[in-house]
Amino acid sequence: MTERNVNQISDWNGRTGERWVANQARLDRMLQDYGQAAIAAAAPAAGEQVLDIGCGAGAGSLEIAALVGPSGAVLGVDVSEPLVARARELAAETANVRFQVADASRALLPVEQFDLLFSRFGVMFFDEPAQAFAHMRRALKPGGRLAFVCWRGAGENDWVRLPMKAIAPIVGAPAPPPPEAPGPFSFGDRARVERILGEAGFADVAFTAIDHPITFGEGETRQAAIEDAVDLAFQVGPLTRALADQPEAVRAQAIPPVREAFAAKAVGEAVVIEGAGWVVTARNVAA
């Protein structure tokens, strides 16, 4: 396991995981349309066995569990203990779903058990993605399906573009990550994803662009919605990492330009930003 991956797992079991749990309900609402688009493409059927990769707090797992019914089952895996604990709480009354703290790229998975591998924004962080997908493909039945949603480019997604552009004059623009480095936008390049899945043994790889507005801030007034968006941006996402090692004075200096950036997106009593992703589907060709 690379140092990058170790640090990432540690992060999701520390403050990042705790903040996502604290904001779980609103984050799931924000991502709901993207997750549902991936579920529609996956078309889970009654009786199917499904593996949810990077399941977070289990929103996608629970939706799929309802579709596969009592004769089917869903296993959600995630590296974050806080998020898996929250998923188990939310699924306490659902008999056909269970959750496991594990890295799906290395976990001991049953061979040829699942009809479907699914993920909502959980597959972009593998340090060796082709190897990870090859490992997970072995858990698919012959002819089994893969369906996931991932982000496209950072410049197409306001949740990172707006706050990071706003603080650039204060802390400088971040150095671009290496082109193949894991991260939320590492699957933005369609050709790269096609190559990764092909190397992993998948066939019939298809992409559907999904562009959908995201309600990033809400309140009883326009100003309250803006403040809500600013608060969330400082809790989760790239802004928190960019300012993590900065003194409090710099963090305070960053608030006004971030507030101004979100104010430009205020619509009534909400801050509505643009999001852009890929829904990717593929098939296991194993005989």
Side-chain angles (χ1 to χ4, degrees):
M1 188 178 298
T2 67
E3 181 180 353
R4 181 191 299 272
N5 203 40
V6 169
N7 291 339
Q8 181 173 271
I9 291 174
S10 176
D11 188 32
W12 279 105
N13 282 285
R15 295 189 68 185
T16 295
E18 292 167 359
R19 286 169 174 166
W20 272 75
V21 169
N23 292 282
Q24 169 262 316
R26 70 182 299 182
L27 290 169
D28 280 340
R29 286 196 304 272
M30 287 164 53
L31 300 177
Q32 183 176 20
D33 290 304
Y34 293 89
Q36 289 182 339
I39 291 173
E48 289 194 318
Q49 304 286 311
V50 182
L51 177 64
D52 185 1
I53 305 157
C55 64
S61 299
L62 288 167
E63 289 190 48
I64 293 172
L67 294 171
V68 300
S71 61
V74 181
L75 171 62
V77 297
D78 199 286
V79 299
S80 173
E81 291 187 10
L83 282 167
V84 168
R86 179 59 175 155
R88 287 170 175 158
E89 290 177 7
L90 295 172
E93 303 298 321
T94 307
N96 66 334
V97 62
R98 62 187 179 93
F99 297 97
Q100 178 181 342
V101 178
D103 178 353
S105 69
R106 293 174 172 84
L108 183 61
L109 299 172
V111 176
E112 296 186 358
Q113 174 168 316
F114 298 102
D115 300 282
L116 170 66
L117 301 183
F118 172 83
S119 184
R120 188 195 74 177
F121 299 116
V123 296
M124 304 93 71
F125 305 98
F126 299 126
D127 48 359
E128 297 175 335
Q131 180 177 315
F133 275 98
H135 174 75
M136 294 183 293
R137 185 179 64 82
R138 287 191 285 272
L140 264 182
K141 295 176 182 178
R145 312 182 310 283
L146 168 70
F148 63 83
V149 61
C150 61
W151 298 115
R152 296 207 309 267
E156 299 176 85
N157 282 281
D158 283 348
W159 60 271
V160 60
R161 183 181 65 84
L162 291 176
M164 295 305 289
K165 183 178 180 181
I167 68 168
I170 300 170
V171 298
E180 303 259 322
F185 302 104
S186 66
F187 275 23
D189 182 347
R190 173 174 174 165
R192 178 175 184 249
V193 178
E194 286 182 307
R195 172 173 57 82
I196 288 169
L197 295 181
E199 289 177 3
F202 286 95
D204 301 332
V205 180
F207 293 77
T208 301
I210 174 171
D211 297 86
H212 203 282
I214 297 171
T215 301
F216 198 80
E218 297 177 281
E220 294 184 358
T221 65
R222 178 180 182 275
Q223 192 58 43
I226 294 167
E227 296 304 324
D228 186 53
V230 172
D231 178 66
L232 183 62
F234 274 82
Q235 287 193 63
V236 297
L239 195 62
T240 62
R241 293 177 176 83
L243 297 175
D245 298 325
Q246 297 292 339
E248 193 58 38
V250 172
R251 291 176 59 85
Q253 188 181 357
I255 293 174
V258 172
R259 180 184 291 121
E260 183 178 353
F262 283 120
K265 294 290 184 174
V267 179
E269 298 169 354
V271 172
V272 182
I273 63 175
E274 294 302 315
W278 292 118
V279 171
V280 183
T281 57
R283 182 175 57 86
N284 180 20
V285 297

